[in-house]
Amino acid sequence: NVRRLLQNYRSGFLQLVYYYGQRQHDTKKALKILHFMDEHLPDKVIPNTYPQLYLQIASLYAQYGDSTMARNYMEHALENGRDTGDPMIKARVAGYWTDLFGNTQQALSILTPLVESGQTNAYVSYELSRIYLMQKDIAQADHWIGELAKQAPNAQETRQLQLQLRALQADTTR
């Protein structure tokens, strides 16, 4: 019951953050509310059990200018039994490392063990495709986009990555 109550309080704080940050465009107040939430409902006392909430809070901190707190939330997103075995969750966490910080090495450190253990799915293939495109590694990007095309042939994301790969290939042949 206490855990649920804290989740409700955290949810209320996040609604305030969205209100001030998105509707009022007061990013300083939104950041102040995030810090207040962390001060008064520290995760160390009763940890949040939802990795998606960690990603959401990390994204808000990054958006409102506190990259230190964003990194802190990212580093703890897969701790304390937060769906740590779910490849989709791990792929999302890896994607956030890439999107928020451009840290493809951290993302690869999350995704590579999934590949090695045969836990590849469309989410993992998508994130690997994006990473290798960012690194301009045409061979790896081609491989993972091919895997993604097998898993999600009609997905818009697959087509977008294929176009990006073609553009990268064209750039390197010039």
Side-chain angles (χ1 to χ4, degrees), residues 3 43-44 46-51 54 76-84:
R3 185 177 307 272
D43 192 61
K44 293 175 187 170
I46 297 182
N48 163 34
T49 57
Y50 302 104
Y54 267 76
H76 298 292
L78 293 175
E79 292 178 357
N80 301 323
R82 296 181 184 98
D83 294 329
T84 56

Side-chain angles (χ1 to χ4, degrees), residues 40-169:
H40 294 284
L41 298 173
D43 192 61
K44 293 175 187 170
V45 176
I46 297 182
N48 163 34
T49 57
Y50 302 104
Q52 293 91 339
L53 185 58
Y54 267 76
L55 299 177
Q56 180 184 17
I57 294 170
S59 179
L60 289 169
Y61 269 121
Q63 180 180 352
Y64 297 132
D66 189 338
S67 62
T68 301
M69 286 301 292
R71 282 184 183 275
N72 181 53
Y73 270 90
M74 288 300 301
E75 288 167 358
H76 298 292
L78 293 175
E79 292 178 357
N80 301 323
R82 296 181 184 98
D83 294 329
T84 56
D86 186 343
M88 184 179 85
I89 297 296
K90 288 184 175 184
R92 288 194 67 205
V93 171
Y96 271 71
W97 275 110
T98 302
D99 294 341
L100 295 180
F101 303 109
N103 192 336
T104 57
Q105 293 309 310
Q106 180 69 26
L108 284 171
S109 75
I110 295 168
L111 297 171
T112 301
L114 294 174
V115 173
E116 291 170 351
S117 65
Q119 297 182 50
T120 306
N121 60 27
Y123 296 100
V124 173
S125 296
Y126 174 75
E127 292 302 337
L128 286 166
S129 298
R130 288 183 17 167
I131 289 168
Y132 290 122
L133 282 171
M134 289 175 79
Q135 294 178 341
K136 299 184 188 316
D137 185 335
I138 292 174
Q140 286 290 342
D142 186 42
H143 170 76
W144 287 107
I145 292 170
E147 290 298 311
L148 180 60
K150 292 176 194 172
Q151 298 159 343
N154 298 322
Q156 180 180 350
E157 293 84 355
T158 303
R159 290 190 297 276
Q160 289 173 340
L161 291 170
Q162 289 168 331
L163 291 173
Q164 290 175 21
L165 177 61
R166 285 188 203 113
L168 182 59
Q169 289 168 327

Side-chain angles (χ1 to χ4, degrees), residues 5-21 29-30 32-42 56-57 60:
L5 179 65
L6 284 179
Q7 290 300 94
N8 287 337
Y9 278 128
R10 286 180 180 134
S11 175
F13 279 118
L14 292 176
Q15 287 176 22
L16 283 172
V17 169
Y18 279 116
Y19 173 77
Y20 284 105
K29 185 148 189 166
K32 187 176 179 180
I33 293 168
L34 280 170
H35 286 149
F36 185 87
M37 177 185 75
D38 279 327
E39 180 183 337
H40 294 284
L41 298 173
Q56 180 184 17
I57 294 170
L60 289 169

